[in-house]
Amino acid sequence: MARDADINAMIAGIDLRRELGASDAFKDLHKSEVMPGNLSRSDMVKLVRQSTTTYCHPTRTCKMGIDDESVVAPELRVYGIENIRIADASIMPNVTSGNTNAPSVMIGEKSAELLQQAR
Ligand SMILES: Cc1cc2nc3c(=O)[nH]c(=O)nc-3n(C[C@H](O)[C@H](O)[C@H](O)COP(=O)(O)OP(=O)(O)OC[C@H]3O[C@@H](n4cnc5c(N)ncnc54)[C@H](O)[C@@H]3O)c2cc1C
């Protein structure tokens, strides 16, 4: 995490959660704060850098479609290459608005169906 704005946003999020955790509404649910405790700004920055990770959903790197940008045809064949089909999240034309695992499984199921039909 290189940008100050990102680090500041993460620290603001941690501060807000600590504030909520310390509020009366939650006081009966826990005994005390486990982490991060009272850290200096520089230790908090270190904590954020060490304990955060991206939560990316990499998709669309070889999108399916019929336009010039498309790598994969609707029946999952790769344009210009014989005997290969792609069946994973990379063919999604756009990143789905929900989670990506179920659509990935559906792409796999559709691929199996297409392969059976092609026999
Ligand atoms: C941290 C994290 C959390 C996630 N949480 C969720 C969630 O809660 N809900 C949800 O719906 N989605 C979630 N996802 C997204 C979901 O896991 C992916 O969108 C989905 O698994 C993508 O499927 P895929 O088949 O495209 O790729 P992958 O599941 O990554 O499968 C690719 C496969 O190809 C193999 N491979 C790679 N290179 C080669 C090679 N050269 N030769 C042979 N095999 C190779 C890999 O080992 C792997 O098994 C999460 C993703 C991440 C990273």
Side-chain angles (χ1 to χ4, degrees), residues 54-59 87-90 99-102 104:
T54 58
Y55 198 65
C56 298
H57 284 131
T59 56
D88 61 21
S90 66
N99 284 343
T100 42
N101 182 274
S104 300

Side-chain angles (χ1 to χ4, degrees), residues 82-104:
E82 298 283 318
N83 299 325
I84 187 167
R85 295 184 197 235
I86 307 283
D88 61 21
S90 66
I91 68 151
M92 292 179 186
N94 289 299
V95 183
T96 53
S97 57
N99 284 343
T100 42
N101 182 274
S104 300

